[in-house]
Amino acid sequence: MNTHYEVNTKLKIKIMIVLIIVVICSIVSASLYISEGNIVKKSITDYLPYSQDSSLLFSIDDVKINTINEDGYIEILGWACEEGSDIVRYNCHVALEDVLRDIVYILPTMMIQREDVGAYFKNSGYNDSGFYSKAKTAQMQLDESRLEFVIIYENNDSKIYYHTGVYIENGEMVD
C-alpha cells in the first residue's frame, strides 16, 4: 500500500512539473510575441469606411514610453467596450495615428480580462474588454511626430475607428 501511494505521489509531482513548464513556456511565448512589437503601418484612408461616432466606452489606464536607446518601447494598458453590447468575438487594437503624415501604426494588442470593468458597469459581458499592447519605438517616429492614440474596435460585428484625444508629442504624453 505504501509503494502504491509513493508511485501516485511521484506521478502527480511529475504531471504538476510538466504543467508548470507548459504554462511558463506559454507565458514566455506570448510575452516574446508582444515584446517583439510587430507594428503594422497603414494609411488612414484604410479606415475611412469605419464608424467615427459610437458609444464606445474606453480608458487608457497606463502608458509607459522608453525611448532611451534602440531597444525603446511603448507599453499601453486599458480597456474598450461598446455600450450595451457584450463582447462575444474579440478583435480590438491600439493604434497611434501620425497626425502629420496620415499614417496609422497598429500595435500588437492582446486581450486581457478586466473583471473590474464588468463589475463597474454591472455587465459581465465587458470582462473581456481589457487590452495590453507593447511595441518597439524604433518602428515609429515618436520623436518627430504628434501621435494620437486610436482604438480600432472590431469586436463582434463592429467596425469603429475611435479617436481618444490622448496624444504623444516628441516622445512625451501631452494633455
Side-chain angles (χ1 to χ4, degrees), residues 28-47:
V28 168
S29 295
S31 176
L32 286 175
Y33 171 76
I34 283 292
S35 68
E36 283 303 309
N38 297 321
I39 295 173
V40 176
K41 187 174 167 182
K42 288 193 170 188
S43 169
I44 186 119
T45 57
D46 293 343
Y47 294 100

mmCIF file of all heavy atoms in Angstrom, residues 28-47:
data_model
loop_
_atom_site.group_PDB
_atom_site.id
_atom_site.type_symbol
_atom_site.label_atom_id
_atom_site.label_comp_id
_atom_site.label_asym_id
_atom_site.label_seq_id
_atom_site.Cartn_x
_atom_site.Cartn_y
_atom_site.Cartn_z
ATOM 1 N N VAL A 28 5.946 32.816 -21.687
ATOM 2 C CA VAL A 28 7.143 33.351 -22.333
ATOM 3 C C VAL A 28 6.887 33.566 -23.822
ATOM 4 O O VAL A 28 7.276 34.595 -24.380
ATOM 5 C CB VAL A 28 8.361 32.424 -22.100
ATOM 6 C CG1 VAL A 28 9.527 32.798 -22.984
ATOM 7 C CG2 VAL A 28 8.769 32.459 -20.634
ATOM 8 N N SER A 29 6.216 32.635 -24.482
ATOM 9 C CA SER A 29 5.922 32.776 -25.909
ATOM 10 C C SER A 29 5.039 33.993 -26.167
ATOM 11 O O SER A 29 5.310 34.773 -27.080
ATOM 12 C CB SER A 29 5.211 31.530 -26.438
ATOM 13 O OG SER A 29 6.055 30.422 -26.373
ATOM 14 N N ALA A 30 3.994 34.155 -25.380
ATOM 15 C CA ALA A 30 3.110 35.317 -25.549
ATOM 16 C C ALA A 30 3.867 36.609 -25.279
ATOM 17 O O ALA A 30 3.722 37.585 -26.003
ATOM 18 C CB ALA A 30 1.904 35.204 -24.619
ATOM 19 N N SER A 31 4.698 36.589 -24.264
ATOM 20 C CA SER A 31 5.483 37.777 -23.927
ATOM 21 C C SER A 31 6.458 38.134 -25.043
ATOM 22 O O SER A 31 6.621 39.301 -25.393
ATOM 23 C CB SER A 31 6.235 37.537 -22.621
ATOM 24 O OG SER A 31 7.066 38.613 -22.334
ATOM 25 N N LEU A 32 7.106 37.128 -25.621
ATOM 26 C CA LEU A 32 8.034 37.388 -26.722
ATOM 27 C C LEU A 32 7.302 37.923 -27.941
ATOM 28 O O LEU A 32 7.782 38.828 -28.609
ATOM 29 C CB LEU A 32 8.798 36.111 -27.101
ATOM 30 C CG LEU A 32 9.873 35.673 -26.128
ATOM 31 C CD1 LEU A 32 10.449 34.329 -26.561
ATOM 32 C CD2 LEU A 32 10.969 36.715 -26.019
ATOM 33 N N TYR A 33 6.117 37.392 -28.215
ATOM 34 C CA TYR A 33 5.339 37.875 -29.357
ATOM 35 C C TYR A 33 5.013 39.353 -29.179
ATOM 36 O O TYR A 33 5.220 40.164 -30.063
ATOM 37 C CB TYR A 33 4.052 37.068 -29.528
ATOM 38 C CG TYR A 33 3.130 37.663 -30.552
ATOM 39 C CD1 TYR A 33 3.404 37.524 -31.909
ATOM 40 C CD2 TYR A 33 2.017 38.398 -30.183
ATOM 41 C CE1 TYR A 33 2.581 38.092 -32.865
ATOM 42 C CE2 TYR A 33 1.191 38.961 -31.125
ATOM 43 C CZ TYR A 33 1.477 38.803 -32.464
ATOM 44 O OH TYR A 33 0.653 39.377 -33.391
ATOM 45 N N ILE A 34 4.511 39.690 -28.005
ATOM 46 C CA ILE A 34 4.157 41.082 -27.739
ATOM 47 C C ILE A 34 5.403 41.947 -27.694
ATOM 48 O O ILE A 34 5.432 43.036 -28.248
ATOM 49 C CB ILE A 34 3.362 41.180 -26.415
ATOM 50 C CG1 ILE A 34 1.931 40.737 -26.637
ATOM 51 C CG2 ILE A 34 3.377 42.579 -25.854
ATOM 52 C CD1 ILE A 34 1.107 41.647 -27.507
ATOM 53 N N SER A 35 6.473 41.492 -27.039
ATOM 54 C CA SER A 35 7.641 42.349 -26.869
ATOM 55 C C SER A 35 8.367 42.610 -28.182
ATOM 56 O O SER A 35 9.052 43.604 -28.320
ATOM 57 C CB SER A 35 8.598 41.743 -25.844
ATOM 58 O OG SER A 35 9.182 40.564 -26.345
ATOM 59 N N GLU A 36 8.223 41.726 -29.145
ATOM 60 C CA GLU A 36 8.841 41.982 -30.450
ATOM 61 C C GLU A 36 8.157 43.152 -31.137
ATOM 62 O O GLU A 36 8.757 43.873 -31.890
ATOM 63 C CB GLU A 36 8.765 40.731 -31.335
ATOM 64 C CG GLU A 36 9.776 39.680 -30.977
ATOM 65 C CD GLU A 36 11.193 40.181 -31.026
ATOM 66 O OE1 GLU A 36 11.605 40.772 -32.039
ATOM 67 O OE2 GLU A 36 11.904 39.996 -30.035
ATOM 68 N N GLY A 37 6.903 43.330 -30.868
ATOM 69 C CA GLY A 37 6.187 44.510 -31.322
ATOM 70 C C GLY A 37 6.106 44.654 -32.824
ATOM 71 O O GLY A 37 6.550 45.635 -33.384
ATOM 72 N N ASN A 38 5.545 43.676 -33.487
ATOM 73 C CA ASN A 38 5.381 43.754 -34.933
ATOM 74 C C ASN A 38 4.290 44.753 -35.271
ATOM 75 O O ASN A 38 3.109 44.438 -35.275
ATOM 76 C CB ASN A 38 5.048 42.376 -35.514
ATOM 77 C CG ASN A 38 6.181 41.414 -35.290
ATOM 78 O OD1 ASN A 38 7.335 41.786 -35.407
ATOM 79 N ND2 ASN A 38 5.858 40.190 -34.948
ATOM 80 N N ILE A 39 4.695 45.973 -35.534
ATOM 81 C CA ILE A 39 3.764 47.053 -35.838
ATOM 82 C C ILE A 39 3.360 46.974 -37.305
ATOM 83 O O ILE A 39 4.188 46.757 -38.166
ATOM 84 C CB ILE A 39 4.420 48.413 -35.542
ATOM 85 C CG1 ILE A 39 4.691 48.527 -34.049
ATOM 86 C CG2 ILE A 39 3.560 49.560 -36.031
ATOM 87 C CD1 ILE A 39 5.487 49.746 -33.669
ATOM 88 N N VAL A 40 2.076 47.164 -37.554
ATOM 89 C CA VAL A 40 1.571 47.226 -38.920
ATOM 90 C C VAL A 40 1.342 48.697 -39.239
ATOM 91 O O VAL A 40 0.665 49.403 -38.497
ATOM 92 C CB VAL A 40 0.258 46.424 -39.064
ATOM 93 C CG1 VAL A 40 -0.315 46.585 -40.463
ATOM 94 C CG2 VAL A 40 0.489 44.963 -38.723
ATOM 95 N N LYS A 41 1.905 49.147 -40.339
ATOM 96 C CA LYS A 41 1.789 50.543 -40.754
ATOM 97 C C LYS A 41 0.774 50.620 -41.892
ATOM 98 O O LYS A 41 0.919 49.936 -42.901
ATOM 99 C CB LYS A 41 3.169 51.020 -41.215
ATOM 100 C CG LYS A 41 3.284 52.465 -41.515
ATOM 101 C CD LYS A 41 4.751 52.769 -41.820
ATOM 102 C CE LYS A 41 4.952 54.105 -42.429
ATOM 103 N NZ LYS A 41 6.353 54.354 -42.764
ATOM 104 N N LYS A 42 -0.282 51.442 -41.715
ATOM 105 C CA LYS A 42 -1.320 51.577 -42.731
ATOM 106 C C LYS A 42 -1.622 53.049 -42.977
ATOM 107 O O LYS A 42 -1.296 53.907 -42.166
ATOM 108 C CB LYS A 42 -2.602 50.878 -42.280
ATOM 109 C CG LYS A 42 -2.524 49.375 -42.291
ATOM 110 C CD LYS A 42 -3.901 48.793 -42.157
ATOM 111 C CE LYS A 42 -3.868 47.307 -42.413
ATOM 112 N NZ LYS A 42 -5.210 46.752 -42.462
ATOM 113 N N SER A 43 -2.313 53.296 -44.060
ATOM 114 C CA SER A 43 -2.776 54.641 -44.372
ATOM 115 C C SER A 43 -4.080 54.892 -43.629
ATOM 116 O O SER A 43 -4.892 53.985 -43.455
ATOM 117 C CB SER A 43 -3.013 54.782 -45.874
ATOM 118 O OG SER A 43 -3.694 55.984 -46.142
ATOM 119 N N ILE A 44 -4.279 56.114 -43.236
ATOM 120 C CA ILE A 44 -5.525 56.482 -42.556
ATOM 121 C C ILE A 44 -6.737 56.235 -43.448
ATOM 122 O O ILE A 44 -7.826 55.946 -42.970
ATOM 123 C CB ILE A 44 -5.482 57.940 -42.066
ATOM 124 C CG1 ILE A 44 -6.720 58.260 -41.233
ATOM 125 C CG2 ILE A 44 -5.439 58.917 -43.171
ATOM 126 C CD1 ILE A 44 -6.408 58.644 -39.862
ATOM 127 N N THR A 45 -6.557 56.293 -44.749
ATOM 128 C CA THR A 45 -7.677 56.089 -45.676
ATOM 129 C C THR A 45 -8.239 54.667 -45.588
ATOM 130 O O THR A 45 -9.393 54.447 -45.964
ATOM 131 C CB THR A 45 -7.267 56.391 -47.134
ATOM 132 O OG1 THR A 45 -6.159 55.566 -47.485
ATOM 133 C CG2 THR A 45 -6.886 57.857 -47.297
ATOM 134 N N ASP A 46 -7.445 53.720 -45.085
ATOM 135 C CA ASP A 46 -7.946 52.356 -44.908
ATOM 136 C C ASP A 46 -9.098 52.298 -43.908
ATOM 137 O O ASP A 46 -9.879 51.346 -43.912
ATOM 138 C CB ASP A 46 -6.826 51.427 -44.431
ATOM 139 C CG ASP A 46 -5.743 51.219 -45.479
ATOM 140 O OD1 ASP A 46 -5.994 51.519 -46.668
ATOM 141 O OD2 ASP A 46 -4.648 50.757 -45.118
ATOM 142 N N TYR A 47 -9.197 53.301 -43.051
ATOM 143 C CA TYR A 47 -10.209 53.282 -42.000
ATOM 144 C C TYR A 47 -11.348 54.279 -42.231
ATOM 145 O O TYR A 47 -12.199 54.462 -41.367
ATOM 146 C CB TYR A 47 -9.544 53.526 -40.635
ATOM 147 C CG TYR A 47 -8.628 52.378 -40.302
ATOM 148 C CD1 TYR A 47 -7.258 52.485 -40.499
ATOM 149 C CD2 TYR A 47 -9.145 51.166 -39.868
ATOM 150 C CE1 TYR A 47 -6.421 51.413 -40.239
ATOM 151 C CE2 TYR A 47 -8.323 50.091 -39.611
ATOM 152 C CZ TYR A 47 -6.961 50.220 -39.792
ATOM 153 O OH TYR A 47 -6.143 49.155 -39.542
#
